[in-house]
DNA sequence: TAAAAATAGTTAGCTAGACAACTAAAATTA
DNA sequence: TAATTTTAGTTGTCTAGCTAACTATTTTTA
């Protein structure tokens, strides 16, 4: 049966995480998607980074990053500045509005994380990471 | 860091599974998506089922199922017959072409499954299922 | 240095997931 | 039985993921 399949359960869990997180953000009236938050987070950790770097970190392709970056820009959370050394590149940084958002999001994101991972022992925590990693490596080659 | 986060790893693993599977199907010249295959599979296991049932099994909403069913119909893999007892419902079944596809897909799908799960012990198999289940339950209420 | 190849990012077109709003039929209930 | 509510499915709109094809720079190499 499909629903007993590990693949199915992984995909379903991923979807439920996104749904739960998105609902929490919406309930706080925060105008950002979970995926956009991930992008914002990478920029916050690496000021003046570019889209290629974000794609590498999040393992997403160029068009996906391009569109999410544009959304964040349109919403005023980031600044796009054309790189002076390489005009193909755009240096991304967090705007003041973005800084405020990130600050306000901190406890909310942590709450989302804790909600799903409650009652997970450190042992289980390590185990699932290592198993997921094994599956990813199996599929890589 | 994001990429050390369990949520991120679950989502990433789900994406890699889909990508790997889709590539294999494409390399066999099979015109179906992984998601469409899941729908086909549910119909195959439950002849004359309806879209609501499929949605329950796959935990997807009505519009998503509706569109995937239409794709499968357009491709000729299933038959949609309006239910005589309840004209709101559409009874779905596998066409001859669909039966052939399912037959041909069997070993390919199994190969995809084994590829990712190779080197996973029965113990790990059980463990990851139970942890994923725990996370899902945590998010449910 | 001129031509070719690589790189950063965008645009277009498709499927899927999510939500809201809708149609039409069936079941409830007043 | 007439009015209300529920149910099955569809349509529209948005975001995201993926592929392919594109522009415009920058780097390589012949």
């Amino acid at each position: 049966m499909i629903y007993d399949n590990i693949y199915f359960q992984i995909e379903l869990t991923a979807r439920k995480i996104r749904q739960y997180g998105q609902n929490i953000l919406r309930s706080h009236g925060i105008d950002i998607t979970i995926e956009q938050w991930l992008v914002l987070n990478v920029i916050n950790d690496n000021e003046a980074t570019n889209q290629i770097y974000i794609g590498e970190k999040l393992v997403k392709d160029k068009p996906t990053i391009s569109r999410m970056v544009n959304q964040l820009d349109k919403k005023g959370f980031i600044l796009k500045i054309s790189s002076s050394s390489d005009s193909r590149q755009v240096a991304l940084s967090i705007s003041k509005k973005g800084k405020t958002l990130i600050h306000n999001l901190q406890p909310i994101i942590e709450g989302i994380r804790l909600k799903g991972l409650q009652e997970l022992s450190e042992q289980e925590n390590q185990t699932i990471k290592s198993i997921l990693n094994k599956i990813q490596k199996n599929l890589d080659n």
Side-chain angles (χ1 to χ4, degrees), chain A:
Chain A
M1 268 300 104
I2 292 167
Y3 13 100
D4 190 43
N5 184 297
I6 291 181
Y7 282 179
F8 181 77
Q9 289 304 325
I10 292 173
E11 198 270 336
L12 179 55
T13 308
R15 249 186 306 133
K16 289 194 168 179
I17 291 168
R18 183 167 12 85
Q19 279 174 36
Y20 177 80
Q22 204 62 61
N23 284 341
I24 295 293
L25 294 186
R26 192 175 20 247
S27 75
H28 282 85
I30 292 170
D31 177 31
I32 197 172
T33 67
I34 297 286
E35 287 80 11
Q36 286 166 18
W37 176 78
L38 286 171
V39 172
L40 203 63
N41 202 269
V42 173
I43 299 174
N44 194 44
D45 286 343
N46 307 273
E47 283 287 320
T49 192
N50 66 1
Q51 298 188 15
I52 296 291
Y53 181 82
I54 298 172
E56 281 166 6
K57 285 297 152 191
L58 301 183
V59 197
K60 295 185 180 185
D61 61 9
K62 292 190 293 175
T64 298
I65 302 296
S66 175
R67 283 174 185 124
M68 285 195 288
V69 162
N70 283 338
Q71 295 281 1
L72 290 171
D73 185 35
K74 210 193 299 176
K75 291 175 182 176
F77 296 135
I78 62 168
L79 301 169
K80 295 174 76 171
I81 297 167
S82 184
S83 164
S84 51
S85 58
D86 184 341
S87 67
R88 288 171 307 183
Q89 292 189 39
V90 178
L92 304 167
S93 56
I94 310 288
S95 70
K96 197 168 175 182
K97 186 178 173 188
K99 294 266 187 214
T100 304
L101 179 76
I102 289 169
H103 180 260
N104 293 338
L105 271 175
Q106 224 71 266
I108 298 171
I109 295 289
E110 185 60 9
I112 294 170
R113 212 178 63 77
L114 290 179
K115 175 76 172 173
L117 304 183
Q118 67 191 275
E119 323 244 343
L120 277 207
S121 66
E122 189 48 41
Q123 172 65 39
E124 289 175 307
N125 217 296
Q126 286 307 317
T127 303
I128 188 170
K129 272 188 207 165
S130 102
I131 298 177
L132 290 172
N133 195 260
K134 206 184 257 191
I135 295 172
Q136 288 181 38
K137 285 224 174 87
N138 282 343
L139 295 174
D140 261 355
N141 45 58

